[in-house]
Amino acid sequence: MSAAILIVDDSLTVRMDLMETLGAAGLAATTCASLAEARRLLAVDRFPLVILDVLLPDGDGIELLSEIRAAPDASDTAVILLSTEAEVKDRVRGMRTGADEYVGKPYEASYLIARARALMKRNQGVASPAEETILVIDDSITFREALRGALEAASYRVVIAGTGEQGLRMAAELRPAAIIVDGVLPGADGATVIRRIRLDAALRGTPCLLLTGSEDGGAELRALDSGADAFVRKEEDTAIILARLTAMLRSAGTRRGRDVAASLNAPKRILTVDDSETYLQILADALRGAGYEVVLARSGEQALDLLAVQPVDCILLDLLMPGIGGEEACRRIKAAPALRDTPIIMLTALEDRDVMIRGLGAGADDYIAKSSDFEVLRARVLAQMRRRQFEDENRQIREELLRKELEAAEARTAREVAEARAALVEELERKNNELEAFSYSVSHDLRAPLRSIDGFSQALLEDYGEGLDGQAQDYLRRVRAAAQRMGELIDDLLELSRVGRAPLRRQLVDLSTVGHSVIGALQRAEPDRRVNTRIADGLSADGDPGLLRALLENLLGNAWKFTATTASPTIEFAARRDAEDITFIVRDNGVGFDMAFADRLFAPFQRLHTVAEFPGSGIGLATVRRIVDRHGGRVWAESEIGKGAAFFWTLPNPNGGKG
């Protein structure tokens, strides 16, 4: 089985310590002392995680990092650089080269383990523990193993911690379904553990059961005051513990918190900035003792360089430093959008009111004198990180509320737009019906006077034409021709109006038969023309018989008309199946048209040829479009001048069609 972690460090002490630390955490590892050996191991095996020293006897660890990042088969390998804090430029260079993490020596073991687990989970897609994971925190090996057996027999997944601090770290990492904690523990006792969980926005909803061996009657009150959900004495049967646990989990569904920012008890990184090497090391030792990873910077410039490549959870910033001092560094950090929420605690040896006001005025979140007790400093650091976590939680709540408000506003807007569109469509339909009726009425009423003009003009020519001179006769002929032309336009307008007003009578129409009928009528009207016509058999569609006949009369009539000057005129009527619909095609080899004017083709009275060349009113293709639109289809044309034209239309057919 492949080792999970590769450790590359030339120090035998470091390698052995890392092996022991990782092994105790259940993480397998293998070690090597040089770049050459690391390259050999990486060539034959795959490692989810590499812990890599920067300074090695045969080269630079960051060079190996660069090789790992360039290797296609190592794209999911996480890399933690491990080195001394002496060279800030190494940390900056390593992070910019692609390191996932940089941990300084001496490292804090719990931080390193937590980061290693997190990176392996991220890169390998390791699933988080099941929801019914129970964390047991107890320093009694005998009791906790007995409890583990009872819990596992009840189908729970159990993880064990021996101290309160270890339990808090495991709770932050695993997010268990419930925590069972002993009241008396080395370090942080059970009540303290529960209080810290309740102060942690990421964990506060986790049910907690406090155990105690005390016979004191006030023990239960103290347990519940600390925030425990239930209390059980250790001498009671494990069945009681299981029953309490089941009851807690049953009622915890409504209390489980949302997934907010990282837990306060998760590994944290502190940036300490001070030009005093002595104080810097003392401060680092105190913070590492509290379980923090500490990054050291010796000037404001170094601090800004580090923050550009690696985020931190809190900054301890000396007020007075050469170069960029604490005030200016604080202003620059708070001015950066990605950094402004990071808590800054200003440190100074000057216990002066005006100095404190200057520091806070520069944007610092807190101010503390260097002479203060380190316990006070640690408490201040924790308080600032807790404040930031609460702010993050509140921000998430505000963003969620804003998101819901936006969704509600979008839904209201969409509903209002839909209602307005429906009202507009209804109004347009009403106006269109009125216009159609008006157009029909006007067109119908114009026919009678036009007939009179045509009839009396003809009578004048026949009865009195011999008494008129040639110019007068020409005028009368022009009047009659104009009246006849106007009559044709009115007839076409009436036909267009009928198409829009007549109710659809859908039925299965044999288009092949209709096509032959239309072509037959055209041939009877011009018996001397010889046109090659090809009409496919079995063409049918669901539609209005009268309207579909009018459609074919217009399209086949146009094809007949525009092939009049062609040497060997050909007209074709066919179809092709496109997905759910059938596309019908009328194609000819006539004069064609310029596609630059195709958008005008289906508009009323739009003609691409003169009346002298090809007579017509310009209404036919507008009628075709209206017929197709009424059937829920679409129509378009393709052509090239001198090479004919093709007209395509679809008629959505719920019953299917043949082509």
Side-chain angles (χ1 to χ4, degrees):
M1 176 181 176
S2 299
I5 300 173
L6 174 62
I7 300 168
V8 187
D9 200 296
D10 61 332
S11 168
L12 177 61
T13 303
V14 172
R15 293 199 304 273
M16 293 302 100
D17 183 67
L18 283 172
M19 282 282 287
E20 182 180 346
T21 300
L22 295 169
L27 299 174
T30 190
T31 65
C32 62
S34 66
L35 288 178
E37 190 177 358
R39 290 188 177 104
R40 181 182 61 79
L41 289 169
L42 288 167
V44 299
D45 209 345
R46 298 186 66 185
F47 296 89
L49 175 64
V50 177
I51 299 178
L52 177 61
D53 192 8
V54 173
L55 301 176
L56 291 161
D58 57 342
D60 184 359
I62 297 178
E63 291 180 5
L64 179 60
L65 167 64
S66 182
E67 294 172 15
I68 292 172
R69 288 291 170 257
D73 59 347
S75 59
D76 59 348
T77 299
V79 178
I80 296 177
L81 289 178
L82 190 66
S83 188
T84 64
E85 288 289 339
E87 292 293 341
V88 170
K89 64 181 182 181
D90 284 340
R91 179 184 286 265
V92 174
R93 185 164 63 98
M95 295 303 296
R96 285 179 175 164
T97 304
D100 297 276
E101 179 64 277
Y102 191 111
V103 176
K105 294 178 182 177
Y107 52 83
E108 208 288 317
S110 62
Y111 180 90
L112 182 64
I113 291 169
R115 292 299 296 140
R117 280 179 171 155
L119 289 171
M120 291 171 70
K121 286 180 180 178
R122 184 197 71 188
N123 286 9
Q124 291 183 300
V126 176
S128 59
E131 188 179 23
E132 297 302 310
T133 295
I134 308 301
L135 171 61
V136 175
I137 309 174
D138 199 304
D139 60 333
S140 169
I141 297 176
T142 303
F143 181 81
R144 73 190 186 204
E145 289 305 319
L147 184 56
R148 181 208 290 269
L151 290 169
E152 289 178 346
S155 300
Y156 292 111
R157 180 179 182 272
V158 182
V159 290
I160 298 293
T163 67
E165 290 79 3
Q166 182 187 10
L168 287 168
R169 287 193 293 269
M170 294 182 73
E173 179 184 348
L174 300 175
R175 307 292 175 91
I179 299 172
I180 300 175
V181 56
D182 189 12
V184 180
L185 293 166
D189 62 11
T192 301
V193 168
I194 293 174
R195 278 193 291 270
R196 289 177 62 177
I197 286 172
R198 293 293 177 249
L199 288 172
D200 191 334
L203 298 174
R204 67 163 64 111
T206 307
C208 294
L209 173 62
L210 186 66
L211 302 174
T212 182
S214 172
E215 296 293 336
D216 183 359
E220 182 171 0
L221 291 177
R222 289 193 294 273
L224 297 176
D225 284 343
S226 70
D229 296 89
F231 169 87
V232 176
R233 286 190 168 82
K234 295 180 79 170
E235 67 270 12
E236 295 189 59
D237 193 286
T238 54
I240 301 297
I241 298 176
L242 289 174
R244 288 282 193 183
L245 177 64
T246 301
M248 285 196 314
L249 291 172
R250 187 167 53 244
S251 61
T254 58
R255 276 186 34 187
R256 296 297 293 273
R258 69 186 71 218
D259 187 16
V260 296
S263 167
L264 286 173
N265 297 291
K268 302 294 183 185
R269 180 185 293 114
I270 310 293
L271 172 61
T272 60
V273 191
D274 202 299
D275 60 332
S276 169
E277 188 68 31
T278 302
Y279 183 76
L280 200 60
Q281 294 301 331
I282 293 172
L283 189 59
D285 290 341
L287 292 170
R288 289 190 183 108
Y292 296 116
E293 160 70 2
V294 182
V295 181
L296 305 181
R298 293 154 182 87
S299 67
E301 292 87 346
Q302 285 189 357
L304 294 172
D305 288 343
L306 285 166
L307 289 170
V309 298
Q310 192 171 39
V312 300
D313 298 290
C314 187
I315 301 171
L316 302 181
L317 185 60
D318 188 15
L319 180 63
L320 302 177
M321 293 182 293
I324 298 178
E327 287 184 55
E328 179 60 22
C330 184
R331 288 192 185 95
R332 294 192 187 186
I333 292 169
K334 291 299 184 182
L339 300 174
R340 65 165 60 110
D341 292 331
T342 305
I344 297 178
I345 299 177
M346 199 73 80
L347 299 172
T348 183
L350 302 175
E351 299 188 20
D352 183 271
R353 175 179 174 275
D354 292 337
V355 173
M356 179 184 70
I357 292 173
R358 280 170 46 201
L360 295 174
D365 299 277
D366 201 355
Y367 178 98
I368 189 169
K370 288 186 176 182
S371 59
S372 301
D373 189 283
F374 282 117
E375 289 298 325
V376 174
L377 176 62
R378 285 197 289 261
R380 295 281 190 91
V381 168
L382 183 61
Q384 287 300 322
M385 289 193 292
R386 183 182 296 119
R387 177 189 60 78
R388 179 182 177 181
Q389 187 194 46
F390 288 158
E391 289 175 353
D392 289 344
E393 182 185 27
N394 289 333
R395 185 181 301 109
Q396 283 193 352
I397 293 172
R398 289 195 302 272
E399 289 174 354
E400 179 70 14
L401 290 173
L402 179 60
R403 184 185 64 79
K404 290 181 178 179
E405 288 177 2
L406 288 174
E407 288 177 353
E410 289 174 356
R412 285 196 301 272
T413 302
R415 185 171 59 253
E416 290 169 359
V417 168
E419 291 172 353
R421 183 181 291 114
L424 181 60
V425 168
E426 184 179 352
E427 178 66 13
L428 286 174
E429 186 175 352
R430 186 179 65 81
K431 293 291 186 183
N432 187 56
N433 290 335
E434 290 178 357
L435 186 60
E436 292 278 3
F438 175 76
S439 173
Y440 185 85
S441 175
V442 168
S443 299
H444 189 273
D445 292 343
L446 286 174
R447 296 175 79 180
L450 279 172
R451 288 196 192 98
S452 296
I453 294 171
D454 183 36
F456 284 115
S457 298
Q458 182 180 3
L460 280 172
L461 283 170
E462 291 176 353
D463 297 341
Y464 302 100
E466 294 180 358
L468 299 173
D469 60 22
Q471 188 176 24
Q473 290 180 15
D474 181 59
Y475 287 164
L476 279 174
R477 290 189 188 97
R478 290 191 181 189
V479 169
R480 190 180 178 208
Q484 289 174 341
R485 172 67 176 161
M486 181 64 74
E488 291 174 359
L489 289 174
I490 289 174
D491 288 341
D492 288 338
L493 280 173
L494 287 171
E495 179 62 26
L496 183 63
S497 178
R498 279 194 291 270
V499 167
R501 299 174 68 220
L504 282 180
R505 297 177 292 108
R506 284 185 177 272
Q507 64 184 64
L508 189 62
V509 180
D510 184 345
L511 295 179
S512 296
T513 300
V514 175
H516 283 295
S517 174
V518 171
I519 291 294
L522 292 168
Q523 287 176 332
R524 286 191 295 276
E526 294 185 71
D528 295 334
R529 280 197 65 188
R530 294 293 179 264
V531 178
N532 180 27
T533 58
R534 295 195 294 267
I535 298 178
D537 294 330
L539 300 179
S540 63
D542 182 79
D544 185 284
L547 293 182
L548 293 184
R549 182 177 183 87
L551 179 148
L552 286 175
E553 285 175 346
N554 279 287
L555 290 180
L556 292 172
N558 276 353
W560 184 276
K561 176 170 61 177
F562 289 108
T563 56
T565 59
T566 304
S568 299
T570 300
I571 299 173
E572 179 186 3
F573 178 28
R576 67 171 185 240
R577 181 172 291 280
D578 296 329
E580 298 298 324
D581 296 331
I582 295 176
T583 299
F584 297 96
I585 309 161
V586 170
R587 183 181 285 111
D588 66 64
N589 63 344
V591 295
F593 60 86
D594 189 343
M595 285 296 290
F597 303 103
D599 58 335
R600 294 168 44 190
L601 201 61
F602 295 96
F605 305 114
Q606 296 294 316
R607 295 178 51 83
L608 303 185
H609 303 279
T610 65
V611 175
E613 291 177 299
F614 300 100
S617 63
I619 296 294
L621 290 179
T623 302
V624 168
R625 166 164 279 180
R626 183 165 295 190
I627 291 170
V628 173
D629 287 346
R630 289 208 64 194
H631 283 81
R634 64 189 188 95
V635 61
W636 69 99
E638 296 175 1
S639 181
E640 188 175 346
I641 294 176
K643 295 185 178 181
F647 288 82
F648 305 84
W649 76 95
T650 63
L651 297 177
N653 191 344
N655 299 317
K658 296 183 292 183

